Amino acid sequence: MKILGIETSCDETAAAVVKDGTKILSNIVASSAEMHAKTGGVIPEAAARAQIISILPVVQKAMEKAKCQASDIDTIAVTVGPGLIGSLLVGIETARTLTRLWQKPVIPVNHLVAHIYANWLITNRQTPIIKLPNFPALALVVSGGHTDLVLMRGHGKLEWVGGTRDDAAGEAFDKSARLLNLPYPGGPSIAKKAQVFSDKSPNFRLNLLPRPMIHALNFDWSFSGLKTAVLREVNHRPLTISHSQLAAEVQEAIVDILVAKTLRAVKKFKPKSLLLAGGVAANSCLREKFTLSIQHLAFGIDFRVPDPKLCTDNAAYIAGCAYFNQAPLPWPDIEANPELTIIGQ
Ligand code: KG4
Ligand code: ZN
């Protein structure tokens, strides 16, 4: 079954064709991030305008790369939320139009749930014998606007375990980057700057910044205090602490908190798989710390994290998610829901 996925929730315009939920036939992403770097963050109106310019060429390219005609596509899948309303509408209206034109079913997709399905996508690096993730699976979704921990008992059977009470992990990266005069998006900029520090001082103990709620007996996070702590350091010790050290401190603090709370949940729920997802899952420090911590567990767990390119926004996981959660709707009922949560409320 071939699904054309469309993703336009924020500043990426993406289309992909995926076969049977796992095999990527094409995956095209156009990003307006460079434009937002000039303004230090996403301006919704500007993002929506960029979506309009890119959407048709991106869909066309995805179809061409997959060597598909309309008649080869079985279903269209589109992100309906959460996200920026103007950006979401561009993808939704495109999907509705193609649905009518091509006479295909259309499946609405929750962007946050879809991020998790990057773990079902097969990349060239993997061997031909593929084992898909087993349930129950614990999934940590760390994106620009959301940080959620969910227990998946099966496809479409999600239980919310915990999440952030204020800023998301990606937001903590992005806001700290601004304070350090590093370009948007902040996550990759902080990671790059942190690398400069760790190359110079590989054994330095990074414990300058607080780890809010790390010892609280729950599965929640709070990241908003981190940017205040960064601001304090920037203002009060500009000559003694370098920006590269601060970048490394921010990264280490965010990673420590994410790993600690997720492992607490792993120990409680003892899932068969642990799945990372979302843009922040592209962070190599986070990936390495999870890999190391998992090795110290008393029981085995199948730990998965998608290829970094599949962690950040793309449409391959939108198509993948639609394949495993097939619930088509009549096209007039497909609506944007900017506030959609990971458990669909
Ligand atoms: O999932 P995503 O691509 O878009 C949303 O759905 O929000 O996530 C974007 C977030 C941004 O906050 C960005 O700074 C962060 O992911 N990010 C990273 C890295 N790459 C992207 N954070 C840390 N390290 C990275 N390498
Ligand atoms: Zn995303």
Short mmCIF file of all heavy atoms in Angstrom, two decimals, residues 112-113 116 119-120 136-142 148-152 158-159 161-162 221 262 271 273-277 342:
data_model
loop_
_atom_site.label_atom_id
_atom_site.label_comp_id
_atom_site.label_asym_id
_atom_site.label_seq_id
_atom_site.Cartn_x
_atom_site.Cartn_y
_atom_site.Cartn_z
N LEU A 112 2.30 14.67 16.51
CA LEU A 112 3.12 14.18 17.63
C LEU A 112 3.18 12.66 17.65
O LEU A 112 4.23 12.07 17.86
CB LEU A 112 2.57 14.71 18.96
CG LEU A 112 2.62 16.23 19.10
CD1 LEU A 112 1.88 16.68 20.35
CD2 LEU A 112 4.06 16.70 19.15
N VAL A 113 2.03 12.03 17.42
CA VAL A 113 2.01 10.56 17.34
C VAL A 113 2.86 10.12 16.15
O VAL A 113 3.64 9.17 16.23
CB VAL A 113 0.56 10.04 17.19
CG1 VAL A 113 0.55 8.52 17.03
CG2 VAL A 113 -0.30 10.46 18.37
N ILE A 116 6.63 9.42 16.36
CA ILE A 116 7.03 8.12 16.91
C ILE A 116 7.22 7.10 15.78
O ILE A 116 8.08 6.23 15.85
CB ILE A 116 5.99 7.59 17.93
CG1 ILE A 116 5.75 8.63 19.03
CG2 ILE A 116 6.43 6.26 18.53
CD1 ILE A 116 4.56 8.30 19.95
N ASN A 119 10.29 5.54 13.93
CA ASN A 119 10.96 4.31 14.38
C ASN A 119 10.52 3.08 13.60
O ASN A 119 11.09 2.00 13.77
CB ASN A 119 10.68 4.10 15.88
CG ASN A 119 11.46 5.07 16.74
OD1 ASN A 119 12.67 4.95 16.87
ND2 ASN A 119 10.77 6.06 17.30
N TRP A 120 9.50 3.21 12.78
CA TRP A 120 9.05 2.08 11.94
C TRP A 120 9.62 2.19 10.52
O TRP A 120 9.47 1.27 9.73
CB TRP A 120 7.51 2.05 11.87
CG TRP A 120 6.87 1.24 12.96
CD1 TRP A 120 6.37 -0.03 12.84
CD2 TRP A 120 6.65 1.62 14.32
NE1 TRP A 120 5.86 -0.45 14.03
CE2 TRP A 120 6.01 0.54 14.96
CE3 TRP A 120 6.94 2.76 15.08
CZ2 TRP A 120 5.65 0.57 16.32
CZ3 TRP A 120 6.58 2.79 16.42
CH2 TRP A 120 5.95 1.71 17.02
N PRO A 136 4.43 -3.68 24.67
CA PRO A 136 4.26 -2.25 24.90
C PRO A 136 5.56 -1.49 24.68
O PRO A 136 6.63 -1.99 24.97
CB PRO A 136 3.82 -2.16 26.37
CG PRO A 136 4.30 -3.41 27.00
CD PRO A 136 4.34 -4.46 25.92
N ALA A 137 5.40 -0.26 24.15
CA ALA A 137 6.56 0.59 23.90
C ALA A 137 6.39 1.90 24.66
O ALA A 137 5.28 2.43 24.72
CB ALA A 137 6.67 0.87 22.40
N LEU A 138 7.48 2.36 25.25
CA LEU A 138 7.46 3.68 25.88
C LEU A 138 8.07 4.64 24.88
O LEU A 138 9.16 4.37 24.36
CB LEU A 138 8.26 3.66 27.18
CG LEU A 138 8.22 4.95 27.99
CD1 LEU A 138 6.86 5.12 28.68
CD2 LEU A 138 9.32 4.97 29.05
N ALA A 139 7.37 5.73 24.58
CA ALA A 139 7.91 6.68 23.59
C ALA A 139 8.12 8.06 24.22
O ALA A 139 7.24 8.58 24.90
CB ALA A 139 6.94 6.79 22.41
N LEU A 140 9.31 8.59 24.00
CA LEU A 140 9.61 9.97 24.42
C LEU A 140 9.59 10.83 23.17
O LEU A 140 10.41 10.64 22.26
CB LEU A 140 10.98 10.04 25.08
CG LEU A 140 11.49 11.47 25.37
CD1 LEU A 140 10.64 12.17 26.42
CD2 LEU A 140 12.96 11.46 25.80
N VAL A 141 8.64 11.77 23.12
CA VAL A 141 8.54 12.68 21.96
C VAL A 141 9.04 14.06 22.39
O VAL A 141 8.44 14.70 23.25
CB VAL A 141 7.08 12.77 21.45
CG1 VAL A 141 7.01 13.67 20.22
CG2 VAL A 141 6.55 11.39 21.12
N VAL A 142 10.16 14.46 21.80
CA VAL A 142 10.77 15.74 22.16
C VAL A 142 10.88 16.61 20.91
O VAL A 142 11.78 16.43 20.09
CB VAL A 142 12.17 15.55 22.81
CG1 VAL A 142 12.06 15.47 24.31
CG2 VAL A 142 12.92 14.34 22.28
N ASP A 148 6.61 14.91 25.55
CA ASP A 148 5.63 13.97 26.07
C ASP A 148 6.21 12.58 26.19
O ASP A 148 7.00 12.15 25.34
CB ASP A 148 4.42 13.87 25.11
CG ASP A 148 3.55 15.11 25.15
OD1 ASP A 148 3.04 15.45 26.22
OD2 ASP A 148 3.40 15.75 24.08
N LEU A 149 5.78 11.90 27.24
CA LEU A 149 6.14 10.51 27.44
C LEU A 149 4.84 9.71 27.35
O LEU A 149 3.90 9.99 28.10
CB LEU A 149 6.77 10.38 28.83
CG LEU A 149 7.67 9.23 29.17
CD1 LEU A 149 8.78 9.04 28.16
CD2 LEU A 149 8.26 9.44 30.56
N VAL A 150 4.77 8.76 26.43
CA VAL A 150 3.54 7.97 26.29
C VAL A 150 3.84 6.48 26.27
O VAL A 150 4.89 6.06 25.77
CB VAL A 150 2.73 8.33 25.01
CG1 VAL A 150 2.06 9.67 25.13
CG2 VAL A 150 3.59 8.26 23.76
N LEU A 151 2.90 5.72 26.79
CA LEU A 151 3.00 4.27 26.74
C LEU A 151 2.10 3.80 25.61
O LEU A 151 0.91 4.11 25.59
CB LEU A 151 2.56 3.68 28.08
CG LEU A 151 2.88 2.22 28.31
CD1 LEU A 151 4.38 1.97 28.29
CD2 LEU A 151 2.31 1.75 29.65
N MET A 152 2.69 3.06 24.66
CA MET A 152 1.91 2.55 23.53
C MET A 152 1.66 1.06 23.77
O MET A 152 2.61 0.28 23.78
CB MET A 152 2.69 2.69 22.22
CG MET A 152 2.84 4.11 21.73
SD MET A 152 3.88 4.10 20.24
CE MET A 152 2.68 3.77 18.94
N LEU A 158 -2.66 4.65 23.04
CA LEU A 158 -1.66 5.47 23.72
C LEU A 158 -2.15 5.92 25.10
O LEU A 158 -3.29 6.35 25.22
CB LEU A 158 -1.37 6.73 22.88
CG LEU A 158 -0.18 6.66 21.94
CD1 LEU A 158 -0.42 5.66 20.85
CD2 LEU A 158 0.10 8.03 21.34
N GLU A 159 -1.26 5.80 26.09
CA GLU A 159 -1.58 6.33 27.43
C GLU A 159 -0.55 7.38 27.75
O GLU A 159 0.65 7.12 27.63
CB GLU A 159 -1.49 5.22 28.49
CG GLU A 159 -2.62 4.25 28.43
CD GLU A 159 -2.30 2.98 29.22
OE1 GLU A 159 -1.55 3.05 30.22
OE2 GLU A 159 -2.78 1.92 28.79
N VAL A 161 1.87 9.39 29.94
CA VAL A 161 2.60 9.08 31.18
C VAL A 161 3.10 10.36 31.85
O VAL A 161 3.07 10.50 33.07
CB VAL A 161 3.79 8.13 30.86
CG1 VAL A 161 4.70 7.96 32.07
CG2 VAL A 161 3.28 6.77 30.37
N GLY A 162 3.57 11.30 31.06
CA GLY A 162 4.09 12.55 31.62
C GLY A 162 4.44 13.52 30.53
O GLY A 162 4.37 13.20 29.34
N TRP A 221 8.32 17.18 33.45
CA TRP A 221 9.49 18.04 33.29
C TRP A 221 9.09 19.50 33.48
O TRP A 221 7.91 19.85 33.34
CB TRP A 221 10.08 17.91 31.89
CG TRP A 221 10.74 16.62 31.61
CD1 TRP A 221 12.03 16.28 31.93
CD2 TRP A 221 10.18 15.48 30.93
NE1 TRP A 221 12.30 15.00 31.49
CE2 TRP A 221 11.18 14.50 30.88
CE3 TRP A 221 8.94 15.20 30.38
CZ2 TRP A 221 10.98 13.26 30.29
CZ3 TRP A 221 8.74 13.97 29.80
CH2 TRP A 221 9.75 13.01 29.75
N THR A 262 12.80 9.60 31.91
CA THR A 262 12.40 8.51 31.00
C THR A 262 12.81 7.16 31.61
O THR A 262 12.03 6.20 31.58
CB THR A 262 13.03 8.71 29.61
OG1 THR A 262 12.70 10.02 29.16
CG2 THR A 262 12.53 7.69 28.61
N PRO A 271 8.65 -1.60 29.62
CA PRO A 271 8.17 -1.85 28.26
C PRO A 271 9.14 -2.73 27.48
O PRO A 271 10.30 -2.87 27.88
CB PRO A 271 8.14 -0.44 27.66
CG PRO A 271 9.19 0.30 28.41
CD PRO A 271 9.23 -0.26 29.79
N SER A 273 9.96 -2.01 24.33
CA SER A 273 10.78 -1.09 23.53
C SER A 273 10.77 0.31 24.13
O SER A 273 9.78 0.72 24.74
CB SER A 273 10.24 -0.96 22.10
OG SER A 273 9.67 -2.16 21.65
N LEU A 274 11.87 1.02 23.90
CA LEU A 274 11.93 2.44 24.23
C LEU A 274 12.20 3.19 22.93
O LEU A 274 13.20 2.90 22.24
CB LEU A 274 13.05 2.72 25.24
CG LEU A 274 13.32 4.20 25.53
CD1 LEU A 274 12.10 4.88 26.14
CD2 LEU A 274 14.52 4.37 26.47
N LEU A 275 11.31 4.11 22.57
CA LEU A 275 11.42 4.80 21.28
C LEU A 275 11.61 6.30 21.50
O LEU A 275 10.82 6.92 22.21
CB LEU A 275 10.13 4.59 20.48
CG LEU A 275 9.56 3.17 20.41
CD1 LEU A 275 8.22 3.16 19.70
CD2 LEU A 275 10.54 2.25 19.68
N LEU A 276 12.66 6.86 20.92
CA LEU A 276 12.83 8.32 20.96
C LEU A 276 12.27 8.90 19.67
O LEU A 276 12.32 8.25 18.62
CB LEU A 276 14.30 8.72 21.06
CG LEU A 276 15.10 8.33 22.30
CD1 LEU A 276 16.36 9.18 22.38
CD2 LEU A 276 14.30 8.46 23.57
N ALA A 277 11.77 10.12 19.75
CA ALA A 277 11.21 10.76 18.55
C ALA A 277 11.19 12.27 18.70
O ALA A 277 11.28 12.79 19.82
CB ALA A 277 9.79 10.24 18.32
N ILE A 342 -1.03 14.85 22.19
CA ILE A 342 -0.55 13.55 21.70
C ILE A 342 -1.59 12.44 21.90
O ILE A 342 -1.61 11.46 21.17
CB ILE A 342 0.81 13.19 22.34
CG1 ILE A 342 1.49 12.07 21.55
CG2 ILE A 342 0.68 12.83 23.81
CD1 ILE A 342 2.97 11.95 21.75
#
